[in-house]
Amino acid sequence: MNGAVPVPAVWRAPFDVERLRADFPILRELVRGRRLVYLDNAATTQKPQAVIDSLARVYGQENANIHRGVHFLSELATAAFEDARRAVQRLLNAPDPREIVFVRGTTEAINLVAHSFGRQQVGAGDEIVLSEMEHHSNIVPWQMLCEERGARLRVIPVSDRGELDLDAFERLLGPRTKLVSVVHVSNALGTVNPVRRIVELAHGAGVPVLVDGAQAVAHMPVDVQAIGCDFYAFSGHKVFGPTGIGVLYGRQALLEAMPPYQGGGDMIRSVTFERTTYNDVPHKFEAGTPNIAGAIGLRAAIDYLRRIDLAAMGAYEHDLLEYATEALTCVKGLRVVGTAAEKSGVISFVLDEVHPHDIGTILDQEGVAIRTGHHCCQPLMHRFGVPATARASFALYNTYAEVDALVGALRKVHEVFA
Ligand code: PLP
């Protein structure tokens, strides 16, 4: 049963990437006649067999709607869903499972905060502080709120290396600042932002902080109490779990004070035509039938991660990133965009005279999957004076041989454009 998956002992360092790869069936697939080299993990990660099996088990043996059923399957599904919430709580080291709200993904988590907390707290002349390296999903909801409320965005600048200017950040904090919302790890640059320090500075000015953790959770242990943030958002599909499920962590006192985001079933205590009273958190924010299988699949992904020695994984990914950076820097005409001291998982680059989309297409012919474009970070592309970049993004199952395949395929790009 999903509620009681035993978690085996942690694998031992050195990090055994070949053993891990065997858990991901898609990595055995051929693409255009070649073994897939999947370097588009920032867009979405592949799924281990344990996650695939858990989804099949839900729909094959355990499917029922949750929370209001008195029959066996409904109670089973409810227990598995609420167990998944506790698994997320442990993953993030959140103090209480009621602080974990299931949503569709990072985008919906941020929209929830913008609609609920934002509409309650932000008025004319108020300010929301973001950074220049935010994903569109951490820009547009705030822009929409600002338009509605007559508030404005203030933007932390990014240096040429792709690091946040914390002095400028401090100067942006003022009596009108209602929220700071920043990305933990940039999907376009790979920069790991000093979120703990950002929270310290913001809290010093009495301002709450939302951290967009979409690119962090698959690469490092995340402890919301150590970070000290007020909200933390991530997507299941970027941490080896299913699509359509994600998480908003929010401090309980904040969530309790916030109005609901959507109305419907499950978020109410009682309804009459005169008046509705709302359910307790987190259910107040989970209107309608949630992605039950998605939450249970996410729990399977979390259990999978718990079997891994995260320190060994971090060291391995760090070495892989260094190896890839060095190897790519040796490719003629290649420039890496984003050279922060603290990086994780991502290398963005441009090649002289070659459009990133052409790079992506030629690499695809070699079975190498990367992403090209603005990566939903148009203001950041503007900051670096490029319309787009090519981006290789790594996960725990990538190998040095795959980096070599990437470099080899880039040589083909040169041959085509010579
Ligand atoms: N924030 C960052 C940093 C991202 O990389 C992404 C997705 O690429 C998102 C937010 C949005 O995530 P989702 O599309 O899963 O809601």
Side-chain angles (χ1 to χ4, degrees):
M1 292 299 161
N2 275 307
V5 181
V7 178
V10 164
W11 287 328
R12 296 290 155 225
F15 193 66
D16 190 347
V17 68
E18 288 308 326
R19 182 171 158 188
L20 273 173
R21 286 177 70 80
D23 296 332
F24 292 80
I26 207 168
L27 299 180
R28 297 193 284 277
E29 289 294 307
L30 298 184
V31 168
R32 305 193 191 287
R34 292 164 190 270
R35 179 60 65 83
L36 167 67
V37 175
Y38 186 76
L39 300 177
D40 194 17
N41 293 287
T44 198
T45 52
Q46 300 301 350
K47 319 304 171 200
Q49 190 63 49
V51 169
I52 299 167
D53 288 347
S54 84
L55 295 177
R57 199 162 52 235
V58 169
Y59 287 123
Q61 288 147 265
E62 301 174 358
N63 181 53
N65 210 333
I66 56 169
H67 287 153
R68 291 169 305 280
V70 291
H71 59 81
F72 177 81
L73 279 185
S74 178
E75 285 179 356
L76 193 67
T78 302
F81 186 79
E82 293 304 329
D83 273 352
R85 198 188 304 280
R86 282 187 285 276
V88 174
Q89 177 209 349
R90 287 192 297 274
L91 177 78
L92 298 181
N93 192 30
D96 195 289
R98 286 170 291 185
E99 300 180 309
I100 303 301
V101 181
F102 281 123
V103 288
R104 273 193 300 133
T106 309
T107 303
E108 192 178 35
I110 297 171
N111 275 278
L112 189 162
V113 179
H115 277 253
S116 173
F117 174 88
R119 282 177 154 174
Q120 185 186 55
Q121 299 291 331
V122 176
D126 286 339
E127 297 175 352
I128 291 162
V129 174
L130 315 174
S131 87
E132 216 172 5
M133 67 171 81
E134 298 310 316
H135 188 279
H136 295 164
S137 61
N138 198 23
I139 300 174
V140 183
W142 306 115
Q143 213 160 36
M144 289 161 70
L145 176 72
C146 286
E147 271 169 27
E148 186 186 299
R149 294 290 145 134
R152 68 169 175 154
L153 297 181
R154 307 298 306 274
V155 181
I156 312 167
V158 165
S159 74
D160 290 343
R161 294 187 70 180
E163 291 169 338
L164 293 183
D165 180 342
L166 289 193
D167 293 334
F169 170 56
E170 268 195 272
R171 290 193 296 274
L172 288 175
L173 291 168
R176 303 310 309 250
T177 317
K178 290 294 173 198
L179 184 79
V180 172
S181 192
V182 287
V183 70
H184 194 167
V185 176
S186 160
N187 63 306
L189 303 173
T191 308
V192 181
N193 285 320
V195 283
R196 199 190 287 215
R197 178 74 186 132
I198 288 170
V199 169
E200 239 172 51
L201 292 170
H203 282 183
V207 178
V209 180
L210 184 154
V211 177
D212 168 356
Q215 298 295 341
V217 180
H219 300 285
M220 59 191 70
V222 170
D223 180 334
V224 291
Q225 295 190 64
I227 295 170
C229 56
D230 304 277
F231 300 105
Y232 195 95
F234 75 93
S235 303
H237 71 99
K238 294 188 197 281
V239 283
F240 316 107
T243 50
I245 187 75
V247 169
L248 172 69
Y249 155 78
R251 271 185 207 281
Q252 193 168 344
L254 278 172
L255 290 180
E256 274 170 359
M258 283 159 52
Y261 165 49
Q262 295 176 327
D266 229 27
M267 53 77 72
I268 56 93
R269 192 183 300 289
S270 76
V271 179
T272 65
F273 283 112
E274 286 69 41
R275 182 163 179 264
T276 292
T277 55
Y278 302 127
N279 206 339
D280 296 330
V281 296
H283 309 294
K284 182 170 79 172
F285 294 109
E286 293 178 350
T289 301
N291 185 351
I292 302 162
I296 295 168
L298 174 58
R299 190 254 162 91
I302 292 171
D303 283 348
Y304 183 80
L305 272 178
R306 282 176 61 210
R307 293 164 61 198
I308 293 171
D309 178 341
L310 292 185
M313 178 189 85
Y316 175 76
E317 285 193 20
H318 177 265
D319 291 351
L320 190 68
L321 189 69
E322 287 214 326
Y323 178 76
T325 306
E326 208 170 310
L328 287 180
T329 310
C330 294
V331 174
K332 202 170 116 231
L334 187 146
R335 179 167 65 87
V336 173
V337 180
T339 53
E342 285 287 321
K343 277 189 68 169
S344 167
V346 167
I347 305 182
S348 258
F349 58 93
V350 288
L351 260 186
D352 281 350
E353 315 288 334
V354 189
H355 193 280
H357 287 317
D358 292 329
I359 303 176
T361 306
I362 297 168
L363 262 53
D364 178 55
Q365 296 301 317
E366 303 297 312
V368 179
I370 61 158
R371 185 145 297 242
T372 60
H374 52 61
H375 316 296
C376 297
C377 292
Q378 281 185 327
L380 186 69
M381 296 294 117
H382 184 71
R383 155 71 183 84
F384 281 95
V386 291
T389 70
R391 179 187 73 185
S393 55
F394 302 97
L396 48 82
Y397 40 64
N398 288 125
T399 65
Y400 292 91
E402 289 180 316
V403 172
D404 295 342
L406 168 67
V407 173
L410 283 169
R411 298 228 159 86
K412 291 263 164 52
V413 176
H414 270 308
E415 284 165 24
V416 172
F417 282 86

